[in-house]
Amino acid sequence: MHSISAAAPGKMILFGEHAVVYGRPAIAAPVLQLEARVSVSANHAGRATRILAPDIGLDAELNELDEQHPLAAAIRLVCAVLEVMRLPPCTVKISSSIPVASGLGSGAAVSVALLRALPAFLGHPLPESEVCKLAYEIEKIHHGTPSGIDNTVITYARPVYFIKNEKRGNSIEPLAVGRSFTIVIGDTGIASPTALAVGEVRKAWQTDPTHFEALFDSAGAIAQSARHAIENGAIELLGPLMDANHGALRKMGVACNELDLLVSAARRAGAWGAKLSGAGRGGNMIALCAAEEAEGIAQALRSAGAARAIITTVQENRPER
Ligand code: MEV
């Protein structure tokens, strides 16, 4: 049976979430242990396009899904771009190890995997730049005013220094990593849709623009310093920058008790710094630590109530310019 499968990794925001929506720089890296996978196979028995996503209990035909359903929207977008009037009967199966609404890019990873698999199944694989661009369109359905950093880091699966710029086009720089570093991700287990947190920050910014612009500036300056530290392999500088970024995010109102608790637990267990990662209000936090301390910190996070803890590494690399 004709069948094509494609995958995309999870992501973590290392510095600059929320402020990045307002044009400040941010840094993100892929989380390669997590992945969304989409397989498309010819469906000889049926005539329709069937969509299966067992993780979220979805088993439906394409035309039963709402226009704004992100999966339906992604499939229709592929058809529009490739000028396919009618899909051949097929089953689109989605599976993912990325927890939903947790700040680890589950929505964007599914979009990217689907935007790779379906065009390839139709015989017209899309270039990565197009996959990234279309995934951004789906991100808008997921959360209204995305910066574009999630679909970018997930498509290219490497650390990026990202600045949103709607007028002139986003600045996307592959980030050199002078020395590998270890991150422990702690999941509060609280689902927090990005759209909600981003919407709350927008309301608060509209109410008090001066205060929020200053917070965004401070997060942007932190991301800039972090970039230099990462490039130069000065990992010891990143811990205090993470702590400062968490402080700014708290002032933006996107922390919560559970995130603060995990951040404190990680620091007490020996992390060099820790912060929430992603949209906040639940979801995940990250802690920077020595590789040999990571297991102990993961254990401390679980004892402090984390639903799960994942150890990951941002690998040393020198991207070509
Ligand atoms: C979500 O991963 C990061 C946010 O900054 C939203 C975005 O950049 O689109 C909260």
Side-chain angles (χ1 to χ4, degrees), residues 292-309:
E292 59 277 15
E293 303 282 339
E295 200 44 68
I297 289 168
Q299 194 46 52
L301 290 174
R302 287 186 206 103
S303 304
R308 74 165 96 188

Side-chain angles (χ1 to χ4, degrees), residues 11 13 17-18 20-21 143 146-147 149-150 194 198 278-279:
K11 67 93 194 88
I13 307 278
E17 51 275 270
H18 288 291
V20 67
V21 175
H143 63 93
S147 62
I149 192 169
D150 289 9
T194 304
V198 170

Side-chain angles (χ1 to χ4, degrees), residues 193-253:
T194 304
L196 278 183
V198 170
E200 292 292 320
V201 171
R202 183 163 297 274
K203 269 192 237 145
W205 169 69
Q206 282 161 345
T207 310
D208 192 350
T210 313
H211 178 54
F212 271 74
E213 286 294 326
L215 289 174
F216 297 152
D217 280 344
S218 128
I222 290 168
Q224 242 177 331
S225 305
R227 173 202 182 139
H228 296 305
I230 292 172
E231 285 176 340
N232 297 329
I235 303 309
E236 63 288 353
L237 301 180
L238 291 180
L241 290 170
M242 278 194 178
D243 291 343
N245 198 168
H246 187 69
L249 288 161
R250 289 190 78 203
K251 290 186 189 149
M252 289 176 209

Side-chain angles (χ1 to χ4, degrees), residues 9-260:
K11 67 93 194 88
M12 57 186 161
I13 307 278
L14 294 173
F15 293 95
E17 51 275 270
H18 288 291
V20 67
V21 175
Y22 300 83
R24 279 33 168 223
I27 298 174
V31 179
L32 301 172
Q33 288 93 332
L34 300 174
E35 105 173 352
R37 180 163 287 278
V38 173
S39 56
V40 186
S41 40
N43 189 353
H44 300 298
R47 302 221 323 241
T49 305
R50 187 170 168 216
I51 302 169
L52 285 181
D55 300 338
I56 55 165
L58 179 72
D59 180 353
E61 290 190 359
L62 177 60
N63 56 17
E64 292 169 345
L65 295 183
D66 190 86
E67 290 255 315
Q68 287 300 298
H69 191 292
L71 292 173
I75 292 172
R76 294 204 172 96
L77 203 54
V78 168
C79 291
V81 168
L82 297 180
E83 297 179 3
V84 170
M85 301 304 284
R86 213 183 145 73
L87 281 173
C90 60
T91 298
V92 179
K93 186 167 180 214
I94 295 119
S95 57
S96 173
S97 60
I98 311 172
V100 176
S102 72
L104 295 172
S106 61
V110 168
S111 299
V112 167
L114 193 141
L115 291 163
R116 285 181 176 143
L118 185 57
F121 174 80
L122 296 169
H124 299 284
L126 296 174
E128 292 295 76
S129 56
E130 186 75 0
V131 168
C132 188
K133 198 174 107 201
L134 298 181
Y136 179 64
E137 294 305 312
I138 309 301
E139 283 289 279
K140 289 187 196 160
I141 300 176
H142 276 295
H143 63 93
T145 54
S147 62
I149 192 169
D150 289 9
N151 50 286
T152 302
V153 65
I154 285 170
T155 302
Y156 296 107
R158 55 211 252 184
V160 289
Y161 184 78
F162 180 96
I163 306 175
K164 174 183 175 179
N165 189 326
E166 261 160 16
K167 285 201 192 103
R168 278 181 284 143
N170 298 332
S171 155
I172 303 167
E173 290 182 57
L175 184 64
V177 178
R179 185 152 57 98
S180 299
F181 55 95
T182 303
I183 296 281
V184 184
I185 303 172
D187 186 355
T188 61
I190 302 169
S192 168
T194 304
L196 278 183
V198 170
E200 292 292 320
V201 171
R202 183 163 297 274
K203 269 192 237 145
W205 169 69
Q206 282 161 345
T207 310
D208 192 350
T210 313
H211 178 54
F212 271 74
E213 286 294 326
L215 289 174
F216 297 152
D217 280 344
S218 128
I222 290 168
Q224 242 177 331
S225 305
R227 173 202 182 139
H228 296 305
I230 292 172
E231 285 176 340
N232 297 329
I235 303 309
E236 63 288 353
L237 301 180
L238 291 180
L241 290 170
M242 278 194 178
D243 291 343
N245 198 168
H246 187 69
L249 288 161
R250 289 190 78 203
K251 290 186 189 149
M252 289 176 209
V254 291
C256 63
N257 290 341
E258 291 81 356
L259 280 166
D260 284 342

Side-chain angles (χ1 to χ4, degrees), residues 275-295:
K275 63 179 276 291
L276 71 85
S277 176
R281 293 275 173 96
N284 280 273
M285 49 71 67
I286 55 174
L288 173 77
C289 62
E292 59 277 15
E293 303 282 339
E295 200 44 68

